[in-house]
Amino acid sequence: MGTSQTDMIREFDRLIRRDPGKRGLIDSESRFGPLCQDHLLQAAQAIGASASQVVIITGFYVPGAPVPAAETDGPPGAVLLALILEACGIDTLVVTDALCAPVLTATVDAFGYARSRLVVLDPDQPGWIESFFSRQKISHLISVERVGPSHTMDSWSSQFSDRSMDRSIFQQCVPQAHFDRCHNMRGEIIDSFTAPLHQLFERLPEFFPAAITIGIGDGGNEIGMGSIAWEELDRRIASEFSSLIPCRIATDWNIVAGTSNWGASALAAAVALLHDQTRILFDWQRDEQLKVLEFMVQEAHAVDGITKQREPTVDGLPFLTYMQPWEGILSILTR
C-alpha cells in the first residue's frame, strides 16, 4: 500500500476521533492519550489483504425508550460498510437478533442492500452457532455498536499478563452480580433484551481459526473493547457506573470513534480506497444519509440512543454535526 493511502486513512481516523457530545471514549483522549491507535488502518489492511466473506453483527436495543426499539447508531454504519465491501467484490452478511430485526430490515431496505443478506439469529434454538457457522466461509467477523458482556474475575485476571493492579480493587468496583452481564451506559443490566451474539466471537476460532475479528464502538460496553485494559476504560468512560460497563470481548482490531457509525463508515471508505472503489462513497452524501435515518424511524421506530426519542439523529447530535466526519472523508478523497 502506498504511503499516500496510509496517510489518507490516518486522516479518516482523525476525523472520527471527535466527541462533540462529550459522552464517549474519544473525549478522554485529550487527557489520557489515544486508544487503539492505527487500528482503523490495520483493520482496513486486513480486510484488503484477505477478505472473502465478511460477517457484520450489529443492533443495540433500547428497552427504556417510549417505544422500545434498536438505536440509530450501528445499523446504518454496518449496512453501509457491507454495501461498500460488496462493491469491492467481497461477500457480506449482516447479522442481528429478533428485537433489532425490524430496524435492520428498514435499514437494508433504505440502503438497497439485499434482504437475503440480512440474517436474524435465534440463540434459543439448539446448536444455533454450529448451524450458522456451518453455512459460512468467514474470513472476517465485525461488530458495529453491539453490546457485549462485562468482565469477570477470570477475564480481568487473564486480560493482560503483566498487570500489577490489586485484585481487590476490581472486586470492590465490580460486584459479582454484575459479572458477565451486558450493561448500557447507565449501568443497567440489559441481558434480557440482548441476544448473546458475542458468543460468535468466542467460538469463531473453533470453526475459522484464521478469521480476523474487528470491533467498532464508542462507549466501552461494545464487543471489541476487551482489547483495552479494564482499568483504562474505567477511568475514561463518562459514566458514574464506569467500572461495570467495560466489555470483556476482545478483537484483533478495535476501532474507537465518536459514534460507531463513524467508525464503520471510515472503515468502509478505507477499504474502498485500497480497492480503488471510492466512487461509490459519493452516492451516500448528506441527503441520502438523512433519508436512511428518516426511513428507519418511520418504518421501524428506531430511536436515538442518547435521547431515546424516535428521531432521525444519532447519539443526540444535530444532523449536520453528525455528518461532518463523513463529509470530511469525501473531501479528502477529492483532493
Side-chain angles (χ1 to χ4, degrees), residues 139-251:
S139 62
H140 296 72
L141 183 62
I142 302 176
S143 172
V144 182
E145 186 67 12
R146 181 73 192 184
V147 65
S150 59
H151 279 281
T152 65
M153 181 57 70
D154 286 343
S155 70
W156 177 87
S157 298
S158 63
Q159 194 177 34
F160 297 101
S161 59
D162 62 346
R163 64 163 68 255
S164 58
M165 184 177 172
D166 188 335
R167 291 168 63 93
S168 64
I169 296 177
F170 178 82
Q171 291 173 314
Q172 291 167 10
C173 292
V174 185
Q176 190 166 352
H178 287 270
F179 284 7
D180 204 32
R181 304 293 187 192
C182 292
H183 296 80
N184 61 22
M185 294 301 287
R186 301 168 187 85
E188 299 163 340
I189 295 173
I190 55 173
D191 286 354
S192 58
F193 303 98
T194 307
L197 301 188
H198 68 274
Q199 293 177 16
L200 295 173
F201 285 82
E202 293 182 305
R203 297 194 58 191
L204 181 70
E206 299 174 32
F207 299 86
F208 305 100
I212 292 170
T213 57
I214 299 167
I216 302 175
D218 56 25
N221 56 350
E222 304 94 349
I223 292 170
M225 293 295 175
S227 308
I228 304 168
W230 170 84
E231 51 266 44
E232 189 65 38
L233 290 174
D234 182 32
R235 71 172 181 160
R236 290 173 180 255
I237 291 174
S239 168
E240 62 182 295
F241 306 102
S242 59
S243 61
L244 307 179
I245 290 169
C247 175
R248 64 174 176 79
I249 305 296
T251 49

Side-chain angles (χ1 to χ4, degrees), residues 47-48 50-54 81-92 117 139 271-272 275-277 280:
I47 293 173
S50 62
S52 54
Q53 185 193 40
V54 176
L81 173 59
L83 202 67
I84 301 307
L85 294 179
E86 290 279 344
C88 294
I90 300 166
D91 183 47
T92 67
R117 295 187 178 276
S139 62
V271 175
H275 282 80
D276 194 25
Q277 293 289 339
I280 190 176

Side-chain angles (χ1 to χ4, degrees), residues 26-103:
I26 291 298
D27 185 53
S28 72
E29 293 195 330
S30 61
R31 301 188 303 278
F32 302 125
L35 288 165
C36 302
Q37 200 161 19
D38 266 348
H39 279 221
L40 172 63
L41 174 64
Q42 301 290 348
Q45 290 175 328
I47 293 173
S50 62
S52 54
Q53 185 193 40
V54 176
V55 172
I56 306 168
I57 298 172
T58 193
F60 199 130
Y61 193 75
V62 184
V67 179
E71 67 165 296
T72 53
D73 194 21
V79 177
L80 178 62
L81 173 59
L83 202 67
I84 301 307
L85 294 179
E86 290 279 344
C88 294
I90 300 166
D91 183 47
T92 67
L93 288 177
V94 174
V95 174
T96 195
D97 60 22
L99 286 177
C100 297
V103 167

Side-chain angles (χ1 to χ4, degrees), residues 5 25 235 291:
Q5 289 180 327
L25 292 176
R235 71 172 181 160
K291 288 176 183 177

Side-chain angles (χ1 to χ4, degrees), residues 58-59 70 75-76 79 94-120 292 295-297 299-300 302:
T58 193
V79 177
V94 174
V95 174
T96 195
D97 60 22
L99 286 177
C100 297
V103 167
L104 263 299
T105 300
T107 308
V108 301
D109 287 351
F111 274 107
Y113 181 77
R115 277 198 187 188
S116 61
R117 295 187 178 276
L118 173 63
V119 178
V120 181
V292 168
F295 192 79
M296 292 167 61
V297 172
E299 295 297 313

Side-chain angles (χ1 to χ4, degrees), residues 2 109 124 173 186 243 267 288 327 329:
D109 287 351
D124 290 333
C173 292
R186 301 168 187 85
S243 61
L267 181 59
E288 289 73 25
E327 292 180 335
I329 288 171

